[in-house]
Amino acid sequence: MQQTQPARHWWTIGRRRSLLSRRYSTQSQSHSPPPWRPASALDEWVERDVRPISLRQLTFFGRTLTESRLISSANYVRTELPTRIAHRLREIQKLPYVIVANPHLSMVYELYYKAFERFRVVPEIRTLADNDKFCDILRHTLKEHLVVIPNLAMGVLESRELMPPDQMDHFMNTLLRARISRRVIAEQHLALTETFNSPWHFPDSHTRSDSNMEFVGEVFLRCNAKEVIERCGKLSQDMLRQCAGSDKIPDICIKGHLDATFPYILSHLEYIIGELLRNSIQAVNEKYQELLEPPPPIEVLICEAPQHVIVRISDQGGGIPRDLLPYLWSFSKGPRSKSQLENLGQVPAMAATMQELTVSKERKHADKETFRESSLDSLSSRPPNLRLGIGLPMSRVYAEYWAGSLELHSLEGYGVDAFLQISKLGNKNEQVTTRAAIDAV
């Protein structure tokens, strides 16, 4: 069909706006089509290369924090953000026009373009006062973009018939990786600024007695796999207990190298582990809720190797239904797309207002030393019955972002083994795009 063919340089063709308005006037009165903009506005920034960073670089740069280093960090973020956003805007512009016309994807495009325009005109940061103003812009933009993930997912689901599924998944993976990369450098700089402005910060001192010595910005230097599993497991168990009103919740048994530690961004690891444990706990609960016998425990094995830490999560929840297996890692297809779309519609309001469940608030008080506010809170804290269908593919994106991996093996009728591999040394650069498209940045 003609409408599914890629529209060449649609962002420069104003006459298409009227066609778009008619097409979507019956769908949504609150979303307008992408406005006309000259393509040349992006050209300068698209020609620039993205400069990836590693956890080790973030750690070494922020460990000894001085005023000049903080200003240097601000200028890196100031130039890197519009560069990374520009590449993604150009990638969106290459999609078939009818897909970008989707109200949800159009909203994301507008948010990205507004952010691009906002950051590209920020002048060079020379003083701490300049940095404070820049940080205000960062905070505003991060909050404004909390609705991006659910809107991306809804847009992809609604457009799944307009483009081959593998291309749509590639698009979604690339946008998510890029989004993670932008939030990492922005949140890292905000955390470094907060550290620099704190009353206990002494640039010339190498000894710090408080709990924050374990953090360099957002990087947790001694991330302990066992503690994260226990914390995420308790959160998932408590949420299911509240939702189901039952105490027949499977225990979590942790074995292996219980002292394994590594540098990592804690919110990333908590999201991945939380999604895997949530899936296992729910599967076991559903299988055994009508039986008199207690549910079997979920077994977690931690293995520490010279360069990696591997976490295996095993459950006896019956395995993954055969009809869902082909769609396990896909954002754009599957037999339950309709229910996922309805559930995703409830998430933007949660993210936009930063609503959190009581369990999450309790966790704040219980884990004051390691708790960090995260853009993933509204997803991690959602009720167990709010199934979105994006947990596994998003977890894989987060796992691969720092050069790790996530694999699942299902035994139908028995259970699932999930294998999460984490780079222990923190010396791998962020994987800004999917491995198959590393040259497309």
Side-chain angles (χ1 to χ4, degrees):
M1 295 177 62
Q2 186 176 0
Q3 67 176 8
T4 63
Q5 296 300 314
R8 294 183 179 179
H9 308 302
W10 60 261
W11 57 95
T12 64
I13 305 177
R15 67 181 178 82
R16 292 183 179 269
R17 293 187 60 189
S18 60
L19 297 175
L20 178 65
S21 299
R22 290 199 295 270
R23 181 179 293 136
Y24 280 103
S25 60
T26 57
Q27 275 193 25
S28 174
Q29 299 297 325
S30 60
H31 292 86
S32 59
W36 178 90
R37 290 191 178 97
S40 58
L42 286 179
D43 289 345
E44 174 192 350
W45 294 90
V46 172
E47 290 174 1
R48 301 188 184 191
D49 291 328
V50 172
R51 295 176 289 168
I53 40 86
S54 68
L55 285 169
R56 180 175 289 182
Q57 287 174 310
L58 290 178
T59 302
F60 285 170
F61 184 87
R63 192 185 290 273
T64 306
L65 194 57
T66 62
E67 179 177 337
S68 62
R69 283 200 165 201
L70 186 66
I71 291 176
S72 176
S73 170
N75 282 305
Y76 168 78
V77 177
R78 177 184 65 87
T79 56
E80 195 69 8
L81 283 179
T83 301
R84 297 188 183 202
I85 296 173
H87 282 285
R88 301 289 70 79
L89 283 169
R90 183 53 51 85
E91 187 160 280
I92 295 174
Q93 290 173 348
K94 292 178 181 178
L95 290 173
Y97 186 66
V98 68
I99 293 179
V100 190
N102 175 276
H104 301 293
L105 295 180
S106 178
M107 175 188 179
V108 172
Y109 179 81
E110 283 303 297
L111 283 173
Y112 280 7
Y113 216 109
K114 282 171 58 181
F116 170 71
E117 295 286 359
R118 185 181 299 146
F119 285 118
R120 76 183 182 93
V121 297
V122 174
E124 181 181 358
I125 296 162
R126 300 177 183 274
T127 66
L128 292 178
D130 292 342
N131 180 61
D132 289 340
K133 294 177 183 177
F134 180 58
C135 286
D136 289 339
I137 297 174
L138 285 178
R139 292 188 192 96
H140 170 74
T141 305
L142 289 173
K143 185 175 181 180
E144 187 178 54
H145 284 223
L146 285 173
V147 297
V148 164
I149 287 180
N151 274 282
L152 267 179
M154 286 188 286
V156 165
L157 282 174
E158 290 180 349
S159 307
R160 63 187 179 277
E161 304 297 333
L162 303 175
M163 198 162 81
D166 57 338
Q167 294 182 26
M168 190 64 86
D169 284 332
H170 166 75
F171 165 75
M172 184 70 166
N173 272 278
T174 302
L175 254 65
L176 281 177
R177 286 171 184 265
R179 181 182 187 274
I180 295 169
S181 77
R182 296 192 301 271
R183 295 195 81 92
V184 163
I185 61 175
E187 291 174 350
Q188 177 71 1
H189 180 68
L190 289 174
L192 291 180
T193 299
E194 182 181 343
T195 299
F196 185 85
N197 292 333
S198 64
W200 48 260
H201 175 65
F202 304 100
D204 298 327
S205 175
H206 296 283
T207 58
R208 293 180 358 202
S209 59
D210 61 289
S211 61
N212 286 294
M213 69 183 300
E214 298 289 357
F215 281 91
V216 175
E218 288 292 301
V219 182
F220 191 29
L221 302 181
R222 296 182 59 81
C223 192
N224 182 278
K226 173 179 175 289
E227 293 175 0
V228 173
I229 293 164
E230 288 177 337
R231 187 162 58 243
C232 293
K234 185 178 185 305
L235 179 63
S236 297
Q237 288 170 324
D238 289 348
M239 285 196 296
L240 185 59
R241 190 175 288 112
Q242 287 183 7
C243 182
S246 170
D247 285 329
K248 290 190 66 175
I249 308 296
D251 293 329
I252 299 174
C253 180
I254 308 174
K255 299 178 181 178
H257 298 101
L258 304 184
D259 297 326
T261 61
F262 46 89
Y264 216 74
I265 294 182
L266 202 53
S267 61
H268 292 190
L269 184 63
E270 289 179 334
Y271 176 74
I272 301 169
I273 295 291
E275 287 295 325
L276 296 176
L277 288 176
R278 172 197 291 263
N279 289 344
S280 290
I281 291 171
Q282 286 183 242
V284 172
N285 177 260
E286 290 172 3
K287 183 179 180 182
Y288 288 86
Q289 62 182 347
E290 302 297 334
L291 302 178
L292 296 177
E293 60 187 283
I298 293 163
E299 297 183 353
V300 182
L301 178 65
I302 303 171
C303 302
E304 184 176 19
Q307 296 188 5
H308 304 284
V309 172
I310 300 172
V311 178
R312 185 187 72 186
I313 299 176
S314 305
D315 67 59
Q316 298 179 40
I320 298 169
R322 185 171 297 183
D323 64 324
L324 294 183
L325 273 177
Y327 313 109
L328 213 54
W329 306 108
S330 176
F331 290 97
S332 63
K333 58 189 186 303
R336 301 178 183 176
S337 298
K338 183 178 180 180
S339 63
Q340 292 168 7
L341 195 57
E342 293 172 353
N343 289 341
L344 279 164
Q346 301 180 46
V347 178
M350 293 172 60
T353 57
M354 292 302 289
Q355 292 176 359
E356 294 176 357
L357 299 184
T358 305
V359 175
S360 186
K361 292 178 181 177
E362 291 173 353
R363 190 203 135 197
K364 283 186 181 181
H365 296 292
D367 301 294
K368 290 180 181 178
E369 293 187 357
T370 59
F371 182 81
R372 287 290 195 276
E373 201 78 59
S374 167
S375 61
L376 294 169
D377 281 342
S378 58
L379 290 175
S380 301
S381 303
R382 71 186 186 275
N385 58 349
L386 194 62
R387 302 194 176 188
L388 308 179
I390 62 173
L392 282 178
M394 264 190 62
S395 295
R396 174 176 271 186
V397 171
Y398 273 94
E400 292 181 348
Y401 181 75
W402 294 115
S405 64
L406 176 61
E407 301 292 340
L408 253 65
H409 299 280
S410 175
L411 295 174
E412 190 175 9
Y414 183 78
V416 172
D417 282 351
F419 295 86
L420 171 64
Q421 179 175 292
I422 297 162
S423 178
K424 178 183 172 184
L425 304 180
N427 60 345
K428 303 292 185 181
N429 277 350
E430 53 179 341
Q431 306 297 303
V432 181
T433 61
T434 56
R435 286 177 290 187
I438 214 71
D439 295 329
V441 177

